[in-house]
């Protein structure tokens, strides 16, 4: 098993396995040999992230659904470790397949592509939603309105993630707010400030959610709230909002990635809808790899 190394995590928003594509046509036999050689060179492994992440559940399901992935292994590790392995492979122009998503800074830093997913096991385009506990509208109407109005674009999230490679997420979020005050004014227009009211935002521990979480934390603090931002696993995130221990989250990926957690808790919380559209998850590879689809991979002999 590959030993995954730790690095600081940078920017972008869709999950997927990224890989390069193969030619086809009359050279099908040669291509079959090439993809067999590629699969062997990859040691029939896909480099994943933290166990329990929605992306890993989808990747495991993909291994089960594609007959040509018989014998393949999904390596558990960390997002930081996956990014280290990806960067080292690209530096040496070596083959690698990783579980990936966008928005994420890796797409800005490297030439990457998603492998086609004919069976749709990773789902299609996803949204990131805002959920809040029941009773928040009555208890904190000012915060509720801001959370309900919050919406930004993948490019906004990526900008925070990318800058956070060089500065803290707190500083990157504040810089984004200064540069996008018009958007923030739309979220806070007509809302009176409070005096130290405590609110807890729960999130998942990835750079996408660090970006939205720190931006909202800074916006709410400007409005006089005392904000706690707590990173937890996805299942705990949904449970904490559903049972009222956490007040809100900007982190659910729907309808597929966190769909099972959402279905279990949706009756016990309030869904305020999308705060970002255009996210994606899948298998990702460097663009120099001569492969285009998950189906191009060969089973382990």
């Amino acid at each position: 098993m590959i030993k995954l190394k730790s690095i600081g995590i940078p920017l972008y928003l869709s999950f997927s396995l990224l890989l390069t594509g193969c030619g086809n046509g009359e050279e099908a036999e040669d291509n079959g040999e090439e993809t067999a050689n590629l699969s062997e060179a990859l040691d029939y492994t896909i480099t994943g992230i933290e166990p329990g992440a929605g992306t890993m559940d989808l990747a495991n399901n993909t291994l089960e659904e594609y007959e040509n992935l018989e014998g393949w292994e999904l390596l558990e590790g960390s997002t930081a470790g996956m990014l280290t392995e990806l960067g080292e492979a690209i530096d040496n122009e070596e083959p690698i397949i990783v579980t990936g998503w966008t928005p994420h800074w890796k797409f800005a830093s490297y030439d990457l592509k998603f492998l086609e997913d004919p069976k749709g096991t990773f789902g299609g385009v996803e949204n990131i939603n805002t959920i809040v506990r029941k009773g928040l509208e009555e208890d904190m109407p000012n915060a509720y309105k801001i959370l309900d109005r919050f919406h930004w674009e993948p490019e906004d999230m990526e900008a925070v993630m990318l800058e956070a490679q060089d500065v803290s997420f707190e500083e990157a979020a504040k810089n984004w707010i200064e540069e996008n005050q018009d958007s923030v004014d739309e979220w806070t227009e007509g809302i009176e400030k409070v005096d130290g009211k405590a609110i807890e935002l729960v999130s998942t521990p990835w750079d996408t959610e660090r970006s939205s979480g720190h931006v909202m934390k800074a916006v709410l603090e400007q409005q006089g709230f005392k904000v706690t931002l707590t990173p937890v696993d996805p299942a705990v995130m949904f449970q904490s909002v559903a049972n009222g221990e956490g007040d809100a989250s900007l982190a659910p990926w729907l309808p597929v990635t966190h769909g099972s957690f959402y279905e279990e808790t949706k009756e016990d919380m309030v869904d305020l809808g999308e705060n970002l559209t255009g996210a994606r998850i899948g298998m990702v590879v460097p663009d120099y790899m001569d492969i285009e689809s998950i189906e191009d991979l060969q089973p382990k002999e």
Side-chain angles (χ1 to χ4, degrees), residues 27-134:
E27 298 122 355
E29 185 174 337
D30 289 341
N31 287 339
E33 183 176 350
E34 288 176 8
T35 56
N37 291 338
L38 174 62
S39 298
E40 184 176 0
L42 288 163
D43 197 25
Y44 306 96
T45 60
I46 295 162
T47 302
I49 58 171
E50 295 83 355
T55 239
M56 294 292 280
D57 292 338
L58 296 177
N60 276 311
N61 182 55
T62 297
L63 293 186
E64 295 176 1
E65 293 296 323
Y66 282 87
E67 294 181 1
N68 60 299
L69 295 182
E70 178 72 29
W72 281 70
E73 181 182 6
L74 176 63
L75 301 180
E76 296 180 348
S78 67
T79 301
M82 177 272 287
L83 292 168
T84 298
E85 296 292 333
L86 178 63
E88 291 180 350
I90 290 173
D91 287 344
N92 296 308
E93 291 195 17
E94 296 172 344
I96 188 171
I97 305 176
V98 303
T99 54
W101 59 98
T102 180
H104 196 276
W105 63 264
K106 62 181 176 287
F107 285 89
S109 298
Y110 306 124
D111 290 329
L112 301 171
K113 62 185 178 184
F114 282 96
L115 289 183
E116 295 173 6
D117 176 20
K119 294 182 180 291
T121 53
F122 282 101
V125 175
E126 296 224 292
N127 306 313
I128 303 180
N129 282 29
T130 300
I131 57 174
V132 301
R133 65 171 173 83
K134 288 185 174 181

Side-chain angles (χ1 to χ4, degrees), residues 221-260:
E221 287 176 341
Q222 287 181 356
Q223 295 298 115
F225 287 91
K226 182 178 181 181
V227 185
T228 301
L229 181 59
T230 305
V232 295
D233 289 338
V236 177
M237 173 183 71
F238 281 92
Q239 291 167 2
S240 63
V241 174
N243 65 26
E245 293 180 358
D247 292 303
S249 177
L250 307 172
W253 283 57
L254 299 170
V256 176
T257 304
H258 294 148
S260 60

Side-chain angles (χ1 to χ4, degrees), residues 119-240:
K119 294 182 180 291
T121 53
F122 282 101
V125 175
E126 296 224 292
N127 306 313
I128 303 180
N129 282 29
T130 300
I131 57 174
V132 301
R133 65 171 173 83
K134 288 185 174 181
L136 183 69
E137 185 175 12
E138 293 74 25
D139 298 341
M140 289 183 257
N142 295 0
Y144 181 94
K145 289 178 183 177
I146 295 171
L147 290 162
D148 193 24
R149 293 174 180 175
F150 173 63
H151 188 281
W152 64 348
E153 301 299 326
E155 294 79 8
D156 297 314
M157 178 178 279
E158 293 166 3
V160 176
M161 293 173 72
L162 188 57
E163 185 174 359
Q165 302 317 298
D166 300 317
V167 301
S168 68
F169 270 96
E170 291 87 349
E171 184 175 348
K174 290 178 180 178
N175 290 340
W176 184 89
I177 289 172
E178 289 179 2
E179 296 169 3
N180 295 271
Q181 193 60 51
D182 289 348
S183 295
V184 176
D185 289 344
E186 291 178 3
W187 307 338
T188 60
E189 182 180 2
I191 296 177
E192 295 182 0
K193 294 186 177 182
V194 300
D195 186 15
K197 182 75 171 178
I199 184 171
E200 182 174 6
L201 304 177
V202 290
S203 185
T204 49
W206 293 293
D207 282 6
T208 44
E209 284 64 52
R210 287 189 179 100
S211 299
S212 55
H214 279 288
V215 166
M216 181 53 65
K217 180 176 185 290
V219 169
L220 290 173
E221 287 176 341
Q222 287 181 356
Q223 295 298 115
F225 287 91
K226 182 178 181 181
V227 185
T228 301
L229 181 59
T230 305
V232 295
D233 289 338
V236 177
M237 173 183 71
F238 281 92
Q239 291 167 2
S240 63

